[in-house]
Amino acid sequence: MTAFSTSAYSIGIPSMMADLGMTDLQALAGVGLYAFGFGIAPLVLAPLSEEFGRKWTYIVAIAIFTILHVMIALAKNIETVLINRILMGAAGSIGATLVGGTISDIYVPAERGMPMTVFAFCAMFGTGIGPVIMSWVEANPKLQWRWIQWIQLILMGAYFPTVFLALKETRASVILRRKARRLRKERGDKDGGRYTARSEVEKVSFAVAMRQSLLRPLTFLVVEPVVIFFSAWISVGWGVLYTQIGGLPYIFENIYGFNVTQSGLAYITLCVGSFVALGGSLIQDSIYRRKVAKRGIEARLYAPMVAGVTLAIGCFWYGFSSTPTVHWIVPCIGLVIVIASILTIYITAFVYLSECYGSYASSAIAAQSFARNMIGGSFSFFTIDMYDNLTPRWAIFLMGCIALLLAIVPFAAFWRGPQIRARSRYSKLLMEEEKRRVAAVQVGGEEAGGEDVEIMKSSTWVKDNINALASARVRDQHISSWILIPGAVWIHPVTSNDFGLASTNIVTEDIGRVPSVKDEGYRDPSA
């Protein structure tokens, strides 16, 4: 729905201009400001999801996004529209950005490609289908731009209860914090210690977390070469996309004489391009599974290497065929190539950065999201002027030249990726951390690091005894078993950062096996 709203707004611009007396620039500013909201909000997202959980962050964002449709539908002037568009973009970005974190919560790195592909496909398909549907609303003099907003409000109103009732929390630290709170209330000190989630012990203040969340993505955009170049690459692609969102009616109405509904149907090219990219991603995922053992995460880059070249080719095709002497289907084919290429690059920007930056993946993604939306959204402010001054042919050709220049990015990452990451301050360490975490889960089974609970004495005790714990013999394969160290103060899921092994399988000489609190009995460790 957030993607749907991006382009549905643009198809209603003619009636909005007539109703509110605005200029082309003012109307298209609504497209750009929506993107700006999408770029800025993710910078403060991590502390919100850590403090309140992913579920409630989703729910509040969806509620705000829904209400803002009412504000735009009732707007009496352009200022009201523009203010609510940037707020709507900020609210909508939370749902779109949190998806990467939710997928990371549920899937290990090797399995994230397909879920991310499905999400990206829905986002691009929604961008295409919005104008296709809403062009008929715009063409009806009794409905037009206000009813474009009212219809979206109705759809969101039907969607919201489903999310509220069906969505579950996925963030491990939040789940365990709530579990620890429940255990403190139910058990007290009966099990030899006070239950506390590690995230409670290590938690920083909300203000500090907010400052880190703001600064780290911006730092990545300055010092991390992988983030810099992938962000620049997808930003160009997003600039082309926003040029089409705002400028596609210009081409098909002025060059081919299309009416509103015919121009709306031209957006089907975005939907077709999404299906092409989906098919390409299935092939890429198959290649990744075969090549990952040899190439590592660079096995994610086969399809993007092709997409970098085809993006430039698609721009050249689309630009040079947009003339009255060439049938309209020809630029549509070029636009399908462009959209399929952009979507492929978009998926890579998420998945590759997630694997490069492990536990800091949200910061890396927020960095590229900020650059992508700020640069891409800015294109909508000068799309019409650029077409007027350069003509669509040369304007799109210029974008193709820039895309061709940046097509080297995936090739450089493919051949020199390990060396580039080795010089990174963050990426090398974070990738090793992620590999150990996955290894721990594989040793302990699917439940390790999830519902199992680990009870520890203190951070000082753990640091003093970490070598002994790391080398402990595996004595018990019972996944639901707990480890007890008398005088416990915290519980947390197993990660490789702690012992390098699944804690549910580690039992040292002086630590006894303890049943779950669901069991009736409690056995002293010395027994």
Side-chain angles (χ1 to χ4, degrees), residues 35 123-124 233-243 245 342-343 346 371-377 379:
M124 189 64 75
W233 190 31
I234 186 57
S235 295
V236 171
W238 231 238
V240 176
L241 175 64
Y242 271 92
T243 299
I245 290 174
I342 291 173
L343 185 53
Y346 175 67
R372 168 170 54 88
N373 284 290
M374 299 303 286
I375 295 174
F379 274 66

mmCIF file with all atom_site columns, all heavy atoms in Angstrom, residues 35 123-124 233-243 245 342-343 346 371-377 379:
data_model
loop_
_atom_site.group_PDB
_atom_site.id
_atom_site.type_symbol
_atom_site.label_atom_id
_atom_site.label_alt_id
_atom_site.label_comp_id
_atom_site.label_asym_id
_atom_site.label_entity_id
_atom_site.label_seq_id
_atom_site.pdbx_PDB_ins_code
_atom_site.Cartn_x
_atom_site.Cartn_y
_atom_site.Cartn_z
_atom_site.occupancy
_atom_site.B_iso_or_equiv
_atom_site.pdbx_formal_charge
_atom_site.auth_seq_id
_atom_site.auth_comp_id
_atom_site.auth_asym_id
_atom_site.auth_atom_id
_atom_site.pdbx_PDB_model_num
ATOM 1   N N   . ALA A 1 35  ? 8.970  10.741 -0.902  1.00 0.00 ? 35  ALA A N   1
ATOM 2   C CA  . ALA A 1 35  ? 10.244 10.016 -0.899  1.00 0.00 ? 35  ALA A CA  1
ATOM 3   C C   . ALA A 1 35  ? 11.169 10.514 0.196   1.00 0.00 ? 35  ALA A C   1
ATOM 4   O O   . ALA A 1 35  ? 11.877 9.721  0.830   1.00 0.00 ? 35  ALA A O   1
ATOM 5   C CB  . ALA A 1 35  ? 10.920 10.156 -2.265  1.00 0.00 ? 35  ALA A CB  1
ATOM 6   N N   . ALA A 1 123 ? 6.400  -4.464 -3.701  1.00 0.00 ? 123 ALA A N   1
ATOM 7   C CA  . ALA A 1 123 ? 6.595  -3.010 -3.665  1.00 0.00 ? 123 ALA A CA  1
ATOM 8   C C   . ALA A 1 123 ? 6.558  -2.410 -5.068  1.00 0.00 ? 123 ALA A C   1
ATOM 9   O O   . ALA A 1 123 ? 5.887  -1.401 -5.310  1.00 0.00 ? 123 ALA A O   1
ATOM 10  C CB  . ALA A 1 123 ? 7.920  -2.685 -2.972  1.00 0.00 ? 123 ALA A CB  1
ATOM 11  N N   . MET A 1 124 ? 7.270  -3.033 -5.998  1.00 0.00 ? 124 MET A N   1
ATOM 12  C CA  . MET A 1 124 ? 7.303  -2.489 -7.353  1.00 0.00 ? 124 MET A CA  1
ATOM 13  C C   . MET A 1 124 ? 5.976  -2.724 -8.072  1.00 0.00 ? 124 MET A C   1
ATOM 14  O O   . MET A 1 124 ? 5.493  -1.849 -8.814  1.00 0.00 ? 124 MET A O   1
ATOM 15  C CB  . MET A 1 124 ? 8.452  -3.112 -8.150  1.00 0.00 ? 124 MET A CB  1
ATOM 16  C CG  . MET A 1 124 ? 8.703  -2.453 -9.495  1.00 0.00 ? 124 MET A CG  1
ATOM 17  S SD  . MET A 1 124 ? 9.250  -0.722 -9.340  1.00 0.00 ? 124 MET A SD  1
ATOM 18  C CE  . MET A 1 124 ? 10.958 -0.965 -8.815  1.00 0.00 ? 124 MET A CE  1
ATOM 19  N N   . TRP A 1 233 ? 24.573 3.535  -6.591  1.00 0.00 ? 233 TRP A N   1
ATOM 20  C CA  . TRP A 1 233 ? 24.026 2.750  -7.707  1.00 0.00 ? 233 TRP A CA  1
ATOM 21  C C   . TRP A 1 233 ? 22.501 2.692  -7.659  1.00 0.00 ? 233 TRP A C   1
ATOM 22  O O   . TRP A 1 233 ? 21.823 3.009  -8.625  1.00 0.00 ? 233 TRP A O   1
ATOM 23  C CB  . TRP A 1 233 ? 24.635 1.354  -7.638  1.00 0.00 ? 233 TRP A CB  1
ATOM 24  C CG  . TRP A 1 233 ? 24.379 0.482  -8.824  1.00 0.00 ? 233 TRP A CG  1
ATOM 25  C CD1 . TRP A 1 233 ? 24.214 0.881  -10.114 1.00 0.00 ? 233 TRP A CD1 1
ATOM 26  C CD2 . TRP A 1 233 ? 24.295 -0.938 -8.819  1.00 0.00 ? 233 TRP A CD2 1
ATOM 27  N NE1 . TRP A 1 233 ? 24.014 -0.212 -10.924 1.00 0.00 ? 233 TRP A NE1 1
ATOM 28  C CE2 . TRP A 1 233 ? 24.071 -1.349 -10.157 1.00 0.00 ? 233 TRP A CE2 1
ATOM 29  C CE3 . TRP A 1 233 ? 24.407 -1.910 -7.833  1.00 0.00 ? 233 TRP A CE3 1
ATOM 30  C CZ2 . TRP A 1 233 ? 23.932 -2.689 -10.516 1.00 0.00 ? 233 TRP A CZ2 1
ATOM 31  C CZ3 . TRP A 1 233 ? 24.278 -3.243 -8.183  1.00 0.00 ? 233 TRP A CZ3 1
ATOM 32  C CH2 . TRP A 1 233 ? 24.043 -3.620 -9.503  1.00 0.00 ? 233 TRP A CH2 1
ATOM 33  N N   . ILE A 1 234 ? 21.952 2.316  -6.507  1.00 0.00 ? 234 ILE A N   1
ATOM 34  C CA  . ILE A 1 234 ? 20.492 2.217  -6.398  1.00 0.00 ? 234 ILE A CA  1
ATOM 35  C C   . ILE A 1 234 ? 19.855 3.605  -6.426  1.00 0.00 ? 234 ILE A C   1
ATOM 36  O O   . ILE A 1 234 ? 18.698 3.754  -6.843  1.00 0.00 ? 234 ILE A O   1
ATOM 37  C CB  . ILE A 1 234 ? 20.087 1.448  -5.118  1.00 0.00 ? 234 ILE A CB  1
ATOM 38  C CG1 . ILE A 1 234 ? 18.571 1.209  -5.078  1.00 0.00 ? 234 ILE A CG1 1
ATOM 39  C CG2 . ILE A 1 234 ? 20.534 2.177  -3.872  1.00 0.00 ? 234 ILE A CG2 1
ATOM 40  C CD1 . ILE A 1 234 ? 18.016 0.464  -6.250  1.00 0.00 ? 234 ILE A CD1 1
ATOM 41  N N   . SER A 1 235 ? 20.585 4.644  -6.018  1.00 0.00 ? 235 SER A N   1
ATOM 42  C CA  . SER A 1 235 ? 20.036 6.004  -6.073  1.00 0.00 ? 235 SER A CA  1
ATOM 43  C C   . SER A 1 235 ? 19.771 6.438  -7.505  1.00 0.00 ? 235 SER A C   1
ATOM 44  O O   . SER A 1 235 ? 18.757 7.089  -7.794  1.00 0.00 ? 235 SER A O   1
ATOM 45  C CB  . SER A 1 235 ? 20.993 6.989  -5.387  1.00 0.00 ? 235 SER A CB  1
ATOM 46  O OG  . SER A 1 235 ? 21.094 6.717  -3.999  1.00 0.00 ? 235 SER A OG  1
ATOM 47  N N   . VAL A 1 236 ? 20.680 6.078  -8.404  1.00 0.00 ? 236 VAL A N   1
ATOM 48  C CA  . VAL A 1 236 ? 20.454 6.388  -9.819  1.00 0.00 ? 236 VAL A CA  1
ATOM 49  C C   . VAL A 1 236 ? 19.237 5.632  -10.324 1.00 0.00 ? 236 VAL A C   1
ATOM 50  O O   . VAL A 1 236 ? 18.373 6.188  -11.026 1.00 0.00 ? 236 VAL A O   1
ATOM 51  C CB  . VAL A 1 236 ? 21.695 6.041  -10.659 1.00 0.00 ? 236 VAL A CB  1
ATOM 52  C CG1 . VAL A 1 236 ? 21.392 6.144  -12.152 1.00 0.00 ? 236 VAL A CG1 1
ATOM 53  C CG2 . VAL A 1 236 ? 22.847 6.962  -10.293 1.00 0.00 ? 236 VAL A CG2 1
ATOM 54  N N   . GLY A 1 237 ? 19.152 4.352  -9.976  1.00 0.00 ? 237 GLY A N   1
ATOM 55  C CA  . GLY A 1 237 ? 17.992 3.569  -10.373 1.00 0.00 ? 237 GLY A CA  1
ATOM 56  C C   . GLY A 1 237 ? 16.696 4.160  -9.839  1.00 0.00 ? 237 GLY A C   1
ATOM 57  O O   . GLY A 1 237 ? 15.684 4.227  -10.549 1.00 0.00 ? 237 GLY A O   1
ATOM 58  N N   . TRP A 1 238 ? 16.723 4.621  -8.588  1.00 0.00 ? 238 TRP A N   1
ATOM 59  C CA  . TRP A 1 238 ? 15.521 5.213  -7.989  1.00 0.00 ? 238 TRP A CA  1
ATOM 60  C C   . TRP A 1 238 ? 15.206 6.565  -8.636  1.00 0.00 ? 238 TRP A C   1
ATOM 61  O O   . TRP A 1 238 ? 14.040 6.948  -8.729  1.00 0.00 ? 238 TRP A O   1
ATOM 62  C CB  . TRP A 1 238 ? 15.719 5.366  -6.484  1.00 0.00 ? 238 TRP A CB  1
ATOM 63  C CG  . TRP A 1 238 ? 14.581 4.793  -5.691  1.00 0.00 ? 238 TRP A CG  1
ATOM 64  C CD1 . TRP A 1 238 ? 13.783 5.455  -4.794  1.00 0.00 ? 238 TRP A CD1 1
ATOM 65  C CD2 . TRP A 1 238 ? 14.103 3.447  -5.704  1.00 0.00 ? 238 TRP A CD2 1
ATOM 66  N NE1 . TRP A 1 238 ? 12.852 4.602  -4.247  1.00 0.00 ? 238 TRP A NE1 1
ATOM 67  C CE2 . TRP A 1 238 ? 13.026 3.367  -4.798  1.00 0.00 ? 238 TRP A CE2 1
ATOM 68  C CE3 . TRP A 1 238 ? 14.478 2.298  -6.405  1.00 0.00 ? 238 TRP A CE3 1
ATOM 69  C CZ2 . TRP A 1 238 ? 12.326 2.176  -4.579  1.00 0.00 ? 238 TRP A CZ2 1
ATOM 70  C CZ3 . TRP A 1 238 ? 13.788 1.122  -6.180  1.00 0.00 ? 238 TRP A CZ3 1
ATOM 71  C CH2 . TRP A 1 238 ? 12.739 1.073  -5.286  1.00 0.00 ? 238 TRP A CH2 1
ATOM 72  N N   . GLY A 1 239 ? 16.243 7.279  -9.060  1.00 0.00 ? 239 GLY A N   1
ATOM 73  C CA  . GLY A 1 239 ? 15.998 8.524  -9.780  1.00 0.00 ? 239 GLY A CA  1
ATOM 74  C C   . GLY A 1 239 ? 15.257 8.266  -11.083 1.00 0.00 ? 239 GLY A C   1
ATOM 75  O O   . GLY A 1 239 ? 14.313 8.988  -11.438 1.00 0.00 ? 239 GLY A O   1
ATOM 76  N N   . VAL A 1 240 ? 15.669 7.213  -11.813 1.00 0.00 ? 240 VAL A N   1
ATOM 77  C CA  . VAL A 1 240 ? 14.964 6.835  -13.044 1.00 0.00 ? 240 VAL A CA  1
ATOM 78  C C   . VAL A 1 240 ? 13.530 6.437  -12.727 1.00 0.00 ? 240 VAL A C   1
ATOM 79  O O   . VAL A 1 240 ? 12.589 6.810  -13.439 1.00 0.00 ? 240 VAL A O   1
ATOM 80  C CB  . VAL A 1 240 ? 15.704 5.681  -13.747 1.00 0.00 ? 240 VAL A CB  1
ATOM 81  C CG1 . VAL A 1 240 ? 14.911 5.214  -14.969 1.00 0.00 ? 240 VAL A CG1 1
ATOM 82  C CG2 . VAL A 1 240 ? 17.109 6.106  -14.164 1.00 0.00 ? 240 VAL A CG2 1
ATOM 83  N N   . LEU A 1 241 ? 13.346 5.679  -11.638 1.00 0.00 ? 241 LEU A N   1
ATOM 84  C CA  . LEU A 1 241 ? 12.000 5.240  -11.261 1.00 0.00 ? 241 LEU A CA  1
ATOM 85  C C   . LEU A 1 241 ? 11.091 6.429  -10.968 1.00 0.00 ? 241 LEU A C   1
ATOM 86  O O   . LEU A 1 241 ? 9.954  6.497  -11.472 1.00 0.00 ? 241 LEU A O   1
ATOM 87  C CB  . LEU A 1 241 ? 12.078 4.327  -10.033 1.00 0.00 ? 241 LEU A CB  1
ATOM 88  C CG  . LEU A 1 241 ? 10.732 3.880  -9.456  1.00 0.00 ? 241 LEU A CG  1
ATOM 89  C CD1 . LEU A 1 241 ? 9.964  3.033  -10.453 1.00 0.00 ? 241 LEU A CD1 1
ATOM 90  C CD2 . LEU A 1 241 ? 10.939 3.120  -8.144  1.00 0.00 ? 241 LEU A CD2 1
ATOM 91  N N   . TYR A 1 242 ? 11.570 7.382  -10.176 1.00 0.00 ? 242 TYR A N   1
ATOM 92  C CA  . TYR A 1 242 ? 10.730 8.534  -9.840  1.00 0.00 ? 242 TYR A CA  1
ATOM 93  C C   . TYR A 1 242 ? 10.501 9.439  -11.040 1.00 0.00 ? 242 TYR A C   1
ATOM 94  O O   . TYR A 1 242 ? 9.483  10.132 -11.122 1.00 0.00 ? 242 TYR A O   1
ATOM 95  C CB  . TYR A 1 242 ? 11.344 9.311  -8.668  1.00 0.00 ? 242 TYR A CB  1
ATOM 96  C CG  . TYR A 1 242 ? 10.861 8.791  -7.326  1.00 0.00 ? 242 TYR A CG  1
ATOM 97  C CD1 . TYR A 1 242 ? 11.568 7.804  -6.651  1.00 0.00 ? 242 TYR A CD1 1
ATOM 98  C CD2 . TYR A 1 242 ? 9.682  9.261  -6.769  1.00 0.00 ? 242 TYR A CD2 1
ATOM 99  C CE1 . TYR A 1 242 ? 11.120 7.303  -5.447  1.00 0.00 ? 242 TYR A CE1 1
ATOM 100 C CE2 . TYR A 1 242 ? 9.228  8.774  -5.554  1.00 0.00 ? 242 TYR A CE2 1
ATOM 101 C CZ  . TYR A 1 242 ? 9.947  7.795  -4.903  1.00 0.00 ? 242 TYR A CZ  1
ATOM 102 O OH  . TYR A 1 242 ? 9.482  7.294  -3.716  1.00 0.00 ? 242 TYR A OH  1
ATOM 103 N N   . THR A 1 243 ? 11.439 9.435  -11.967 1.00 0.00 ? 243 THR A N   1
ATOM 104 C CA  . THR A 1 243 ? 11.208 10.165 -13.212 1.00 0.00 ? 243 THR A CA  1
ATOM 105 C C   . THR A 1 243 ? 10.022 9.578  -13.961 1.00 0.00 ? 243 THR A C   1
ATOM 106 O O   . THR A 1 243 ? 9.192  10.303 -14.532 1.00 0.00 ? 243 THR A O   1
ATOM 107 C CB  . THR A 1 243 ? 12.469 10.118 -14.094 1.00 0.00 ? 243 THR A CB  1
ATOM 108 O OG1 . THR A 1 243 ? 13.547 10.746 -13.398 1.00 0.00 ? 243 THR A OG1 1
ATOM 109 C CG2 . THR A 1 243 ? 12.246 10.845 -15.402 1.00 0.00 ? 243 THR A CG2 1
ATOM 110 N N   . ILE A 1 245 ? 7.549  7.706  -12.544 1.00 0.00 ? 245 ILE A N   1
ATOM 111 C CA  . ILE A 1 245 ? 6.328  7.878  -11.748 1.00 0.00 ? 245 ILE A CA  1
ATOM 112 C C   . ILE A 1 245 ? 5.686  9.230  -12.040 1.00 0.00 ? 245 ILE A C   1
ATOM 113 O O   . ILE A 1 245 ? 4.470  9.342  -12.237 1.00 0.00 ? 245 ILE A O   1
ATOM 114 C CB  . ILE A 1 245 ? 6.638  7.739  -10.246 1.00 0.00 ? 245 ILE A CB  1
ATOM 115 C CG1 . ILE A 1 245 ? 6.990  6.286  -9.905  1.00 0.00 ? 245 ILE A CG1 1
ATOM 116 C CG2 . ILE A 1 245 ? 5.438  8.195  -9.402  1.00 0.00 ? 245 ILE A CG2 1
ATOM 117 C CD1 . ILE A 1 245 ? 7.456  6.078  -8.481  1.00 0.00 ? 245 ILE A CD1 1
ATOM 118 N N   . ILE A 1 342 ? 16.016 -2.194 -12.299 1.00 0.00 ? 342 ILE A N   1
ATOM 119 C CA  . ILE A 1 342 ? 15.979 -1.438 -11.036 1.00 0.00 ? 342 ILE A CA  1
ATOM 120 C C   . ILE A 1 342 ? 15.587 -2.343 -9.881  1.00 0.00 ? 342 ILE A C   1
ATOM 121 O O   . ILE A 1 342 ? 16.189 -2.297 -8.792  1.00 0.00 ? 342 ILE A O   1
ATOM 122 C CB  . ILE A 1 342 ? 14.987 -0.261 -11.149 1.00 0.00 ? 342 ILE A CB  1
ATOM 123 C CG1 . ILE A 1 342 ? 15.515 0.795  -12.114 1.00 0.00 ? 342 ILE A CG1 1
ATOM 124 C CG2 . ILE A 1 342 ? 14.743 0.380  -9.771  1.00 0.00 ? 342 ILE A CG2 1
ATOM 125 C CD1 . ILE A 1 342 ? 14.522 1.906  -12.426 1.00 0.00 ? 342 ILE A CD1 1
ATOM 126 N N   . LEU A 1 343 ? 14.583 -3.195 -10.085 1.00 0.00 ? 343 LEU A N   1
ATOM 127 C CA  . LEU A 1 343 ? 14.131 -4.068 -9.012  1.00 0.00 ? 343 LEU A CA  1
ATOM 128 C C   . LEU A 1 343 ? 15.207 -5.071 -8.617  1.00 0.00 ? 343 LEU A C   1
ATOM 129 O O   . LEU A 1 343 ? 15.393 -5.367 -7.431  1.00 0.00 ? 343 LEU A O   1
ATOM 130 C CB  . LEU A 1 343 ? 12.853 -4.795 -9.434  1.00 0.00 ? 343 LEU A CB  1
ATOM 131 C CG  . LEU A 1 343 ? 12.177 -5.679 -8.376  1.00 0.00 ? 343 LEU A CG  1
ATOM 132 C CD1 . LEU A 1 343 ? 11.923 -4.899 -7.092  1.00 0.00 ? 343 LEU A CD1 1
ATOM 133 C CD2 . LEU A 1 343 ? 10.879 -6.259 -8.914  1.00 0.00 ? 343 LEU A CD2 1
ATOM 134 N N   . TYR A 1 346 ? 17.654 -3.211 -6.552  1.00 0.00 ? 346 TYR A N   1
ATOM 135 C CA  . TYR A 1 346 ? 17.025 -2.910 -5.263  1.00 0.00 ? 346 TYR A CA  1
ATOM 136 C C   . TYR A 1 346 ? 17.116 -4.103 -4.316  1.00 0.00 ? 346 TYR A C   1
ATOM 137 O O   . TYR A 1 346 ? 17.477 -3.971 -3.138  1.00 0.00 ? 346 TYR A O   1
ATOM 138 C CB  . TYR A 1 346 ? 15.572 -2.526 -5.511  1.00 0.00 ? 346 TYR A CB  1
ATOM 139 C CG  . TYR A 1 346 ? 14.732 -2.290 -4.290  1.00 0.00 ? 346 TYR A CG  1
ATOM 140 C CD1 . TYR A 1 346 ? 14.962 -1.220 -3.441  1.00 0.00 ? 346 TYR A CD1 1
ATOM 141 C CD2 . TYR A 1 346 ? 13.660 -3.139 -3.991  1.00 0.00 ? 346 TYR A CD2 1
ATOM 142 C CE1 . TYR A 1 346 ? 14.166 -0.991 -2.333  1.00 0.00 ? 346 TYR A CE1 1
ATOM 143 C CE2 . TYR A 1 346 ? 12.861 -2.918 -2.881  1.00 0.00 ? 346 TYR A CE2 1
ATOM 144 C CZ  . TYR A 1 346 ? 13.106 -1.838 -2.050  1.00 0.00 ? 346 TYR A CZ  1
ATOM 145 O OH  . TYR A 1 346 ? 12.325 -1.627 -0.959  1.00 0.00 ? 346 TYR A OH  1
ATOM 146 N N   . ALA A 1 371 ? 19.922 7.613  1.160   1.00 0.00 ? 371 ALA A N   1
ATOM 147 C CA  . ALA A 1 371 ? 20.492 8.123  -0.093  1.00 0.00 ? 371 ALA A CA  1
ATOM 148 C C   . ALA A 1 371 ? 19.552 7.875  -1.267  1.00 0.00 ? 371 ALA A C   1
ATOM 149 O O   . ALA A 1 371 ? 19.314 8.761  -2.103  1.00 0.00 ? 371 ALA A O   1
ATOM 150 C CB  . ALA A 1 371 ? 21.849 7.456  -0.351  1.00 0.00 ? 371 ALA A CB  1
ATOM 151 N N   . ARG A 1 372 ? 18.996 6.671  -1.328  1.00 0.00 ? 372 ARG A N   1
ATOM 152 C CA  . ARG A 1 372 ? 18.121 6.290  -2.444  1.00 0.00 ? 372 ARG A CA  1
ATOM 153 C C   . ARG A 1 372 ? 16.900 7.182  -2.536  1.00 0.00 ? 372 ARG A C   1
ATOM 154 O O   . ARG A 1 372 ? 16.542 7.677  -3.607  1.00 0.00 ? 372 ARG A O   1
ATOM 155 C CB  . ARG A 1 372 ? 17.709 4.820  -2.251  1.00 0.00 ? 372 ARG A CB  1
ATOM 156 C CG  . ARG A 1 372 ? 16.588 4.339  -3.132  1.00 0.00 ? 372 ARG A CG  1
ATOM 157 C CD  . ARG A 1 372 ? 16.451 2.822  -3.015  1.00 0.00 ? 372 ARG A CD  1
ATOM 158 N NE  . ARG A 1 372 ? 16.302 2.372  -1.649  1.00 0.00 ? 372 ARG A NE  1
ATOM 159 C CZ  . ARG A 1 372 ? 15.133 2.262  -1.006  1.00 0.00 ? 372 ARG A CZ  1
ATOM 160 N NH1 . ARG A 1 372 ? 14.021 2.601  -1.626  1.00 0.00 ? 372 ARG A NH1 1
ATOM 161 N NH2 . ARG A 1 372 ? 15.088 1.814  0.226   1.00 0.00 ? 372 ARG A NH2 1
ATOM 162 N N   . ASN A 1 373 ? 16.244 7.417  -1.428  1.00 0.00 ? 373 ASN A N   1
ATOM 163 C CA  . ASN A 1 373 ? 15.008 8.192  -1.460  1.00 0.00 ? 373 ASN A CA  1
ATOM 164 C C   . ASN A 1 373 ? 15.253 9.696  -1.564  1.00 0.00 ? 373 ASN A C   1
ATOM 165 O O   . ASN A 1 373 ? 14.478 10.402 -2.220  1.00 0.00 ? 373 ASN A O   1
ATOM 166 C CB  . ASN A 1 373 ? 14.162 7.876  -0.219  1.00 0.00 ? 373 ASN A CB  1
ATOM 167 C CG  . ASN A 1 373 ? 13.475 6.534  -0.318  1.00 0.00 ? 373 ASN A CG  1
ATOM 168 O OD1 . ASN A 1 373 ? 12.553 6.345  -1.095  1.00 0.00 ? 373 ASN A OD1 1
ATOM 169 N ND2 . ASN A 1 373 ? 13.945 5.575  0.479   1.00 0.00 ? 373 ASN A ND2 1
ATOM 170 N N   . MET A 1 374 ? 16.304 10.189 -0.933  1.00 0.00 ? 374 MET A N   1
ATOM 171 C CA  . MET A 1 374 ? 16.584 11.616 -1.032  1.00 0.00 ? 374 MET A CA  1
ATOM 172 C C   . MET A 1 374 ? 17.007 12.000 -2.448  1.00 0.00 ? 374 MET A C   1
ATOM 173 O O   . MET A 1 374 ? 16.551 13.007 -3.005  1.00 0.00 ? 374 MET A O   1
ATOM 174 C CB  . MET A 1 374 ? 17.666 12.021 -0.030  1.00 0.00 ? 374 MET A CB  1
ATOM 175 C CG  . MET A 1 374 ? 17.293 11.777 1.438   1.00 0.00 ? 374 MET A CG  1
ATOM 176 S SD  . MET A 1 374 ? 15.778 12.607 1.970   1.00 0.00 ? 374 MET A SD  1
ATOM 177 C CE  . MET A 1 374 ? 16.340 14.302 2.069   1.00 0.00 ? 374 MET A CE  1
ATOM 178 N N   . ILE A 1 375 ? 17.887 11.188 -3.052  1.00 0.00 ? 375 ILE A N   1
ATOM 179 C CA  . ILE A 1 375 ? 18.332 11.484 -4.414  1.00 0.00 ? 375 ILE A CA  1
ATOM 180 C C   . ILE A 1 375 ? 17.232 11.157 -5.418  1.00 0.00 ? 375 ILE A C   1
ATOM 181 O O   . ILE A 1 375 ? 16.918 11.958 -6.311  1.00 0.00 ? 375 ILE A O   1
ATOM 182 C CB  . ILE A 1 375 ? 19.618 10.705 -4.740  1.00 0.00 ? 375 ILE A CB  1
ATOM 183 C CG1 . ILE A 1 375 ? 20.768 11.197 -3.847  1.00 0.00 ? 375 ILE A CG1 1
ATOM 184 C CG2 . ILE A 1 375 ? 19.992 10.859 -6.217  1.00 0.00 ? 375 ILE A CG2 1
ATOM 185 C CD1 . ILE A 1 375 ? 22.050 10.398 -3.991  1.00 0.00 ? 375 ILE A CD1 1
ATOM 186 N N   . GLY A 1 376 ? 16.622 9.969  -5.264  1.00 0.00 ? 376 GLY A N   1
ATOM 187 C CA  . GLY A 1 376 ? 15.562 9.588  -6.196  1.00 0.00 ? 376 GLY A CA  1
ATOM 188 C C   . GLY A 1 376 ? 14.385 10.535 -6.143  1.00 0.00 ? 376 GLY A C   1
ATOM 189 O O   . GLY A 1 376 ? 13.853 10.955 -7.184  1.00 0.00 ? 376 GLY A O   1
ATOM 190 N N   . GLY A 1 377 ? 13.955 10.911 -4.923  1.00 0.00 ? 377 GLY A N   1
ATOM 191 C CA  . GLY A 1 377 ? 12.825 11.821 -4.784  1.00 0.00 ? 377 GLY A CA  1
ATOM 192 C C   . GLY A 1 377 ? 13.091 13.191 -5.361  1.00 0.00 ? 377 GLY A C   1
ATOM 193 O O   . GLY A 1 377 ? 12.174 13.846 -5.881  1.00 0.00 ? 377 GLY A O   1
ATOM 194 N N   . PHE A 1 379 ? 14.537 13.894 -8.033  1.00 0.00 ? 379 PHE A N   1
ATOM 195 C CA  . PHE A 1 379 ? 14.326 13.888 -9.483  1.00 0.00 ? 379 PHE A CA  1
ATOM 196 C C   . PHE A 1 379 ? 12.921 14.360 -9.840  1.00 0.00 ? 379 PHE A C   1
ATOM 197 O O   . PHE A 1 379 ? 12.720 14.954 -10.906 1.00 0.00 ? 379 PHE A O   1
ATOM 198 C CB  . PHE A 1 379 ? 14.558 12.483 -10.047 1.00 0.00 ? 379 PHE A CB  1
ATOM 199 C CG  . PHE A 1 379 ? 15.990 12.171 -10.372 1.00 0.00 ? 379 PHE A CG  1
ATOM 200 C CD1 . PHE A 1 379 ? 16.937 12.082 -9.373  1.00 0.00 ? 379 PHE A CD1 1
ATOM 201 C CD2 . PHE A 1 379 ? 16.391 11.978 -11.678 1.00 0.00 ? 379 PHE A CD2 1
ATOM 202 C CE1 . PHE A 1 379 ? 18.258 11.787 -9.651  1.00 0.00 ? 379 PHE A CE1 1
ATOM 203 C CE2 . PHE A 1 379 ? 17.709 11.692 -11.984 1.00 0.00 ? 379 PHE A CE2 1
ATOM 204 C CZ  . PHE A 1 379 ? 18.653 11.599 -10.961 1.00 0.00 ? 379 PHE A CZ  1
#
